[in-house]
Amino acid sequence: MKKLIAALLTLLLLAGVAACQSPAAGSNAAVQGSLEEIMAKIYAGAKVEMPELVNTEITGENSKYYLGVENMEFNEALASEPLMNASPHSVCLVRLNDDQDVEAVKKQIKENVDPFKWVCVGVQEDEIVVDNIGDLVVLIMSADADALHESFLTLKN
């Protein structure tokens, strides 16, 4: 009987230690899932009609075009834009590294993004949203910015 109680106490102690451990590296994101999955959830929640969209990986080399910041550092990033469209539209998701200052990154994007990057068309100031949930920053430039932003905010865990 003593052995059974000792074994149960040991199992209980191990379960408690496992429950209190830090999450695995990279799992501290406030929004779980791949950027492609998160992007799909944003569009589904916003219920906006869009032409065919293409997801493009954002890298340090093309971060100037998508985010307005040359050689920006981040963990991963994804842009969603129409394949062909006369209306300006872009949604970018940027998962930052653990040591990055989210507010500073948001400010840098907001101050440097080009609302007329499409040359012949552009968005107005109120159609640009830069926000975050934890380490995930979103940049929305679209006439549907409000609906897309609200959908993004529903992803908070």
Side-chain angles (χ1 to χ4, degrees), residues 18-30 32 75 95 98 135:
C20 293
Q21 285 183 344
S22 300
S27 67
N28 63 347
Q32 299 296 320
N75 185 349
R95 191 169 314 272
D98 291 339
D135 66 349

Short mmCIF file of all heavy atoms in Angstrom, two decimals, residues 18-30 32 75 95 98 135:
data_model
loop_
_atom_site.label_atom_id
_atom_site.label_comp_id
_atom_site.label_asym_id
_atom_site.label_seq_id
_atom_site.Cartn_x
_atom_site.Cartn_y
_atom_site.Cartn_z
N ALA A 18 5.53 18.88 -15.19
CA ALA A 18 5.34 19.00 -16.64
C ALA A 18 4.37 20.13 -16.97
O ALA A 18 4.56 20.87 -17.92
CB ALA A 18 4.82 17.69 -17.20
N ALA A 19 3.34 20.31 -16.16
CA ALA A 19 2.35 21.36 -16.43
C ALA A 19 2.93 22.75 -16.21
O ALA A 19 2.49 23.72 -16.82
CB ALA A 19 1.13 21.16 -15.53
N CYS A 20 3.93 22.88 -15.34
CA CYS A 20 4.50 24.19 -15.02
C CYS A 20 5.67 24.57 -15.90
O CYS A 20 6.18 25.68 -15.79
CB CYS A 20 4.94 24.22 -13.56
SG CYS A 20 3.55 24.12 -12.42
N GLN A 21 6.11 23.68 -16.76
CA GLN A 21 7.26 23.99 -17.60
C GLN A 21 6.89 25.03 -18.64
O GLN A 21 5.75 25.19 -19.02
CB GLN A 21 7.78 22.74 -18.30
CG GLN A 21 8.54 21.82 -17.38
CD GLN A 21 9.09 20.63 -18.15
OE1 GLN A 21 8.69 20.35 -19.26
NE2 GLN A 21 10.04 19.96 -17.53
N SER A 22 7.91 25.76 -19.12
CA SER A 22 7.73 26.75 -20.18
C SER A 22 7.34 26.04 -21.46
O SER A 22 7.73 24.90 -21.70
CB SER A 22 9.03 27.51 -20.43
OG SER A 22 9.44 28.16 -19.27
N PRO A 23 6.57 26.72 -22.31
CA PRO A 23 6.24 26.12 -23.59
C PRO A 23 7.49 25.92 -24.44
O PRO A 23 8.49 26.59 -24.25
CB PRO A 23 5.28 27.11 -24.25
CG PRO A 23 5.30 28.33 -23.42
CD PRO A 23 6.00 28.02 -22.13
N ALA A 24 7.39 25.03 -25.40
CA ALA A 24 8.52 24.77 -26.29
C ALA A 24 8.85 26.01 -27.09
O ALA A 24 8.02 26.88 -27.31
CB ALA A 24 8.16 23.62 -27.24
N ALA A 25 10.08 26.11 -27.54
CA ALA A 25 10.53 27.27 -28.32
C ALA A 25 9.63 27.46 -29.53
O ALA A 25 9.27 26.50 -30.20
CB ALA A 25 11.97 27.06 -28.77
N GLY A 26 9.26 28.71 -29.78
CA GLY A 26 8.42 29.02 -30.93
C GLY A 26 6.93 28.82 -30.70
O GLY A 26 6.13 29.12 -31.55
N SER A 27 6.54 28.28 -29.55
CA SER A 27 5.13 28.05 -29.31
C SER A 27 4.51 29.13 -28.43
O SER A 27 3.41 28.98 -27.97
CB SER A 27 4.92 26.66 -28.67
OG SER A 27 5.47 26.64 -27.38
N ASN A 28 5.24 30.21 -28.17
CA ASN A 28 4.71 31.28 -27.33
C ASN A 28 3.91 32.30 -28.13
O ASN A 28 3.57 33.35 -27.62
CB ASN A 28 5.84 31.97 -26.56
CG ASN A 28 6.84 32.64 -27.47
OD1 ASN A 28 6.84 32.43 -28.67
ND2 ASN A 28 7.69 33.46 -26.91
N ALA A 29 3.62 31.99 -29.36
CA ALA A 29 2.87 32.92 -30.20
C ALA A 29 1.45 33.08 -29.67
O ALA A 29 0.83 32.12 -29.24
CB ALA A 29 2.84 32.40 -31.64
N ALA A 30 0.95 34.29 -29.72
CA ALA A 30 -0.40 34.56 -29.26
C ALA A 30 -1.43 33.98 -30.23
O ALA A 30 -2.53 33.66 -29.84
CB ALA A 30 -0.60 36.06 -29.10
N GLN A 32 -1.85 30.89 -32.82
CA GLN A 32 -1.25 29.63 -33.24
C GLN A 32 -1.60 29.32 -34.70
O GLN A 32 -2.62 29.77 -35.20
CB GLN A 32 -1.74 28.49 -32.34
CG GLN A 32 -1.38 28.65 -30.88
CD GLN A 32 0.11 28.62 -30.63
OE1 GLN A 32 0.84 27.85 -31.23
NE2 GLN A 32 0.58 29.49 -29.76
N ASN A 75 10.90 36.65 -37.82
CA ASN A 75 10.94 35.19 -37.82
C ASN A 75 10.41 34.65 -39.14
O ASN A 75 11.05 33.84 -39.79
CB ASN A 75 10.13 34.66 -36.63
CG ASN A 75 10.21 33.17 -36.48
OD1 ASN A 75 10.70 32.47 -37.35
ND2 ASN A 75 9.72 32.66 -35.39
N ARG A 95 5.54 37.51 -38.23
CA ARG A 95 5.79 36.94 -36.91
C ARG A 95 7.20 37.36 -36.51
O ARG A 95 8.17 37.03 -37.18
CB ARG A 95 5.67 35.42 -36.91
CG ARG A 95 5.66 34.90 -35.47
CD ARG A 95 5.28 33.47 -35.30
NE ARG A 95 4.14 32.94 -35.98
CZ ARG A 95 2.88 32.96 -35.50
NH1 ARG A 95 2.61 33.55 -34.37
NH2 ARG A 95 1.91 32.39 -36.19
N ASP A 98 11.53 36.69 -30.81
CA ASP A 98 11.21 36.91 -29.40
C ASP A 98 11.78 38.20 -28.84
O ASP A 98 11.18 38.82 -27.98
CB ASP A 98 11.69 35.73 -28.55
CG ASP A 98 10.88 34.46 -28.82
OD1 ASP A 98 9.74 34.57 -29.32
OD2 ASP A 98 11.39 33.36 -28.53
N ASP A 135 3.21 38.45 -30.80
CA ASP A 135 4.35 38.62 -31.71
C ASP A 135 3.95 38.67 -33.18
O ASP A 135 4.79 38.75 -34.06
CB ASP A 135 5.36 37.49 -31.50
CG ASP A 135 4.82 36.11 -31.91
OD1 ASP A 135 3.59 35.99 -32.17
OD2 ASP A 135 5.60 35.15 -31.94
#
